[in-house]
Amino acid sequence: MFTKKIQNLQGLRGVAVLLVVFMHMLHIETKYALFDYVVPELILIGAFGVDLFFLISGFVMISVTRSAFQSKKAIHKFLYHRVTRIYPLYWFYSIIILCVYLIQPSLVNSSQGNQVNILASFLLLPQNLLPLVNVGWTLIYEMYFYFVFAVLLFLPKNYLLPGLIGWGGVILIGNINLSGSDNSFIGTYFNPLTLEFIGGCMMGKLYFSRSIKGNANAVALMALVIWVVGYYFFQEISGNETPSGWMRVLVFGFPAALALYAALLYEKNHGAVMPSWICKVGDASYSVYLSHVLVLSVVGRFWSLFAVEGYWDNILMLLIMLIAVLSYGQVSYQYIERAMLNKTRGFEKYIFPSKDGSSESFLGKKLEKSG
């Protein structure tokens, strides 16, 4: 009963990370190509992938903690799994970029005057600068989500929904009253993006209470229309590339929630799952996400040595970029990410021994499968 892995979650992860990759490919093409740009500016809509990740994270937290309520040991294991899932691979790529920064500072965080807060970057603390791994800003939110969610697990299971609603209320009140603050902690903890994680949790509650109903095609179409049309009008009115704050929740967060709901409906009611190749991309999405800017930058610099005018040159190099990103992402997932995950899971028998001396791994297995 709901023990089967939800394949469409992995598929959505694949879609989310590809959208982010395509968005950054535009920046690389603009930086290194000799005009004749191929990637349209509309691909900036790919920032939506981050919002999709936040929704999925909320859903997964409900999925993997259904038996963890008011169990101190289970909650501690939950936090251990989240910390060891996020930090080791993130540190691996942070160290690589730190080495680049120490050798050639001009290559890192150029959009912010090459400034880096190294300690805050490694600890994933809120800051007013981008971390060494610039996409790591989203992980700052993820860790905040996990720690607050862990506190909610101390409540009785029936109180989780009121707890989530209360958390959302605190975000609303805090954002309204403290929106002018320059404090990075306040800016993170009261950011409306938190509502996307909470929305994913709500989706999980619906799904596992068997209350998920509707026409999957209609919901998917609605998500697509709101996403594309909403982003078009946002750009026309504001002139900005990417929405932020409440506008982002409306333009990206709401259609992301509908996309997640549609994917769940397709699999639950129709047995329809996304193609295996996109699910494999989803399996490796964390490795792809952390490494893709680095890979794109390396290929882009190589491209600049041989770039010529013309569309075919751009098309060829963009294809090479995409293949390089996905290929390296799979290598990273298979040989770095999984090795790190297996090593940290191996420590469980010492940190969380059961009465018979073995490790209680049920929650760990669920977390590993769900990502």
Side-chain angles (χ1 to χ4, degrees):
M1 235 200 250
F2 291 115
T3 58
K4 185 180 173 185
K5 185 176 180 180
I6 304 171
Q7 293 295 328
N8 280 350
L9 282 185
Q10 295 305 96
L12 277 183
R13 279 191 173 115
V15 170
V17 80
L18 283 176
L19 285 170
V20 175
V21 169
F22 291 149
M23 178 184 68
H24 288 139
M25 284 173 66
L26 169 64
H27 296 151
I28 296 297
E29 183 188 29
T30 304
K31 185 173 183 179
Y32 294 111
L34 298 178
F35 309 108
D36 299 318
Y37 302 136
V38 174
V39 182
E41 286 194 7
L42 180 61
I43 203 64
L44 292 169
I45 199 172
F48 166 89
V50 167
D51 305 78
L52 198 48
F53 274 131
F54 286 163
L55 265 294
I56 294 170
S57 287
F59 182 92
V60 169
M61 292 309 97
I62 295 295
S63 173
V64 301
T65 60
R66 284 176 290 150
S67 59
F69 287 88
Q70 295 189 294
S71 168
K72 190 179 290 187
K73 185 172 183 178
I75 295 169
H76 288 165
K77 286 187 72 173
F78 164 76
L79 282 174
Y80 174 78
H81 290 139
R82 291 295 88 196
V83 167
T84 56
R85 181 74 178 91
I86 295 295
Y87 280 101
L89 190 67
Y90 170 73
W91 282 339
F92 177 83
Y93 288 107
S94 292
I95 289 170
I96 291 175
I97 296 177
L98 177 60
C99 291
V100 174
Y101 179 71
L102 294 176
I103 296 169
Q104 186 61 270
S106 62
L107 297 179
V108 178
N109 247 357
S110 57
S111 64
Q112 296 186 327
N114 309 111
Q115 299 179 74
V116 173
N117 185 327
I118 295 174
L119 181 62
S121 289
F122 274 85
L123 296 180
L124 287 174
L125 297 176
Q127 55 180 301
N128 292 321
L129 297 170
L130 287 172
L132 282 162
V133 180
N134 59 16
V135 295
W137 71 268
T138 64
L139 302 182
I140 295 172
Y141 284 94
E142 290 279 359
M143 293 310 302
Y144 159 55
F145 299 157
Y146 298 151
F147 281 112
V148 175
F149 188 79
V151 172
L152 294 179
L153 289 177
F154 283 100
L155 297 173
K157 191 171 185 177
N158 291 338
Y159 284 79
L160 177 62
L161 184 58
L164 290 169
I165 294 172
W167 184 13
V170 169
I171 300 301
L172 176 62
I173 295 169
N175 184 267
I176 291 173
N177 290 287
L178 301 170
S179 59
S181 174
D182 292 327
N183 185 289
S184 58
F185 284 84
I186 290 175
T188 299
Y189 298 155
F190 296 104
N191 194 301
L193 281 174
T194 306
L195 298 180
E196 296 179 353
F197 179 82
I198 294 173
C201 292
M202 300 287 197
M203 202 81 70
K205 291 286 288 179
L206 275 175
Y207 182 83
F208 292 108
S209 65
R210 299 182 178 277
S211 300
I212 182 167
K213 298 174 183 176
N215 185 305
N217 290 328
V219 177
L221 180 61
M222 192 184 308
L224 181 63
V225 170
I226 294 174
W227 174 37
V228 176
V229 174
Y231 182 71
Y232 171 79
F233 280 109
F234 160 76
Q235 276 203 321
E236 286 295 308
I237 294 170
S238 70
N240 297 324
E241 289 185 355
T242 308
S244 60
W246 294 102
M247 183 59 69
R248 179 164 189 149
V249 174
L250 178 64
V251 175
F252 285 165
F254 181 52
L258 290 175
L260 174 58
Y261 193 83
L264 295 171
L265 277 175
Y266 275 123
E267 186 165 350
K268 179 175 178 287
N269 294 347
H270 306 289
V273 296
M274 295 186 186
S276 60
W277 69 267
I278 194 69
C279 292
K280 287 190 182 204
V281 174
D283 289 339
S285 60
Y286 189 46
S287 277
V288 173
Y289 186 70
L290 289 180
S291 66
H292 79 275
V293 173
L294 188 60
V295 175
L296 288 175
S297 297
V298 170
V299 176
R301 287 188 171 275
F302 176 78
W303 181 13
S304 68
L305 300 175
F306 307 98
V308 296
E309 291 188 21
Y311 290 110
W312 287 110
D313 175 70
N314 290 29
I315 291 171
L316 176 61
M317 288 311 301
L318 288 168
L319 284 174
I320 291 173
M321 280 185 192
L322 183 60
I323 292 169
V325 163
L326 296 181
S327 298
Y328 177 78
Q330 286 294 331
V331 171
S332 174
Y333 170 64
Q334 294 292 342
Y335 299 104
I336 304 174
E337 180 182 341
R338 291 181 66 179
M340 289 178 168
L341 195 58
N342 289 335
K343 182 64 73 175
T344 58
R345 293 298 184 261
F347 294 143
E348 283 186 35
K349 60 185 176 183
Y350 305 110
I351 302 172
F352 305 105
S354 62
K355 291 180 181 178
D356 62 1
S358 63
S359 173
E360 297 180 71
S361 59
F362 175 70
L363 180 60
K365 287 178 181 177
K366 289 184 74 177
L367 282 163
E368 184 175 350
K369 287 180 180 180
S370 301

